[in-house]
Amino acid sequence: IIVRKAIFTGWGMHNNIGGMLAFSIPFAFYLATKYRKGWLGTVVGSAFLLGAIATCSRSSILCGSLGFFFCVLLMLYYARNRRHNAIALVTIVGVLIFSIVLFHRPLLRLFSGILGMGTDPSSRDTIYLEGLKLFTKAPIFGNSFFSPGYQPWDWSTVEGFSSFFPPRWHNTVIQLLASCGAVGLLCYGLHRAQTIKLFLSSYCKEKSFIACFLLVFILTNLFDCHFYNLGPTLFYSMALAFAESCPHKK
């Protein structure tokens, strides 16, 4: 049985690891469209999704699967060698279906922990409600990231880590309202408007896959707090920097 709580490393737990794998899917599929042997990108992108599933991070599985679907459509549209990419994709899906049919009982046992959770919100409903309560106490500028009173669950037991990364609210909107108030949410709204404008101007293949990454990233942040971790935010910032330079001249 996969035990989710046992999946962690120095920089994060299963949600963090699953998130980074899900974020990487679009860039593997971009490579699948760029080179003659691009089918390797299709294989790697599929492996990233399987890796996210293995972390048992429900938000990463849900949002990563959605991103995978759109990436497959983009890959089939843009690929230089659609035939080999399509063969690789059909082979992967066929092997998965065969494995599920043949090993369904061991697989059900392997993932019984996450399957048993169903739609359990893992206390997020309580966290969101408490965050909104904090917002009502300081609606303009919020209560800061180290707000008094109720504190969301903190996965880390290292004092040095927790003092720098405070417990967070597992939702971008709730986080901004509780920590930065209406002013913070307005600033974030301006940033989102700027990114939409960026992608609507001079649209190209590269921007299509970066947009898929942004879709996965923004959606997972409605359930987790990747925006407030260093690695994912650096990943996000680099993706926007590349988007600003597309389409590029040789």
Side-chain angles (χ1 to χ4, degrees):
I1 296 172
I2 296 177
V3 181
R4 294 202 316 165
K5 291 182 179 179
I7 303 174
F8 65 91
T9 182
W11 54 267
M13 53 188 287
H14 60 275
N15 283 335
N16 307 108
I17 299 167
M20 291 300 287
L21 286 164
F23 303 155
S24 303
I25 291 170
F27 303 106
F29 275 98
Y30 166 68
L31 294 177
T33 70
K34 190 172 176 64
Y35 301 105
R36 188 172 60 85
K37 294 185 179 180
W39 60 269
L40 290 170
T42 298
V43 173
V44 172
S46 303
F48 284 152
L49 178 61
L50 292 174
I53 293 171
T55 66
C56 290
S57 168
R58 290 177 295 175
S59 59
S60 301
I61 295 170
L62 176 64
C63 301
S65 298
L66 181 64
F68 182 88
F69 172 75
F70 284 116
C71 285
V72 167
L73 296 180
L74 288 172
M75 179 270 293
L76 293 174
Y77 179 77
Y78 284 116
R80 293 172 60 185
N81 195 336
R82 291 189 187 91
R83 184 166 172 265
H84 286 176
N85 277 286
I87 290 172
L89 190 64
V90 170
T91 302
I92 292 168
V93 172
V95 170
L96 283 175
I97 293 174
F98 178 78
S99 300
I100 291 170
V101 172
L102 194 62
F103 303 107
H104 63 279
R105 288 186 178 179
L107 287 172
L108 285 173
R109 185 166 61 250
L110 185 67
F111 290 96
S112 59
I114 185 175
L115 292 173
M117 294 179 68
T119 57
D120 178 16
S122 298
S123 301
R124 280 171 173 74
D125 50 345
T126 302
I127 291 173
Y128 298 162
L129 181 61
E130 293 294 334
L132 290 173
K133 287 180 181 178
L134 277 179
F135 167 66
T136 60
K137 294 178 181 178
I140 300 177
F141 294 108
N143 281 273
S144 87
F145 281 85
F146 291 91
S147 57
Y150 180 87
Q151 291 288 333
W153 174 71
D154 183 11
W155 71 273
S156 175
T157 57
V158 180
E159 184 179 351
F161 185 95
S162 297
S163 63
F164 188 77
F165 293 96
R168 282 146 288 170
W169 299 92
H170 291 273
N171 179 286
T172 306
V173 176
I174 301 295
Q175 180 77 59
L176 289 168
L177 289 175
S179 305
C180 310
V183 172
L185 189 61
L186 284 172
C187 291
Y188 178 73
L190 174 62
H191 173 58
R192 285 277 67 91
Q194 290 173 328
T195 55
I196 292 171
K197 182 180 177 181
L198 169 65
F199 281 88
L200 290 179
S201 62
S202 60
Y203 201 72
C204 60
K205 177 177 73 173
E206 288 80 6
K207 283 188 178 181
S208 300
F209 287 97
I210 296 174
C212 272
F213 155 72
L214 287 177
L215 175 68
V216 176
F217 187 82
I218 292 169
L219 288 178
T220 52
N221 274 282
L222 296 178
F223 307 100
D224 287 307
C225 32
H226 303 294
F227 251 128
Y228 306 97
N229 290 322
L230 293 179
T233 307
L234 285 172
F235 205 100
Y236 170 79
S237 302
M238 287 188 287
L240 287 182
F242 273 90
E244 286 182 341
S245 301
C246 294
H248 60 83
K249 294 181 179 179
K250 190 172 181 181

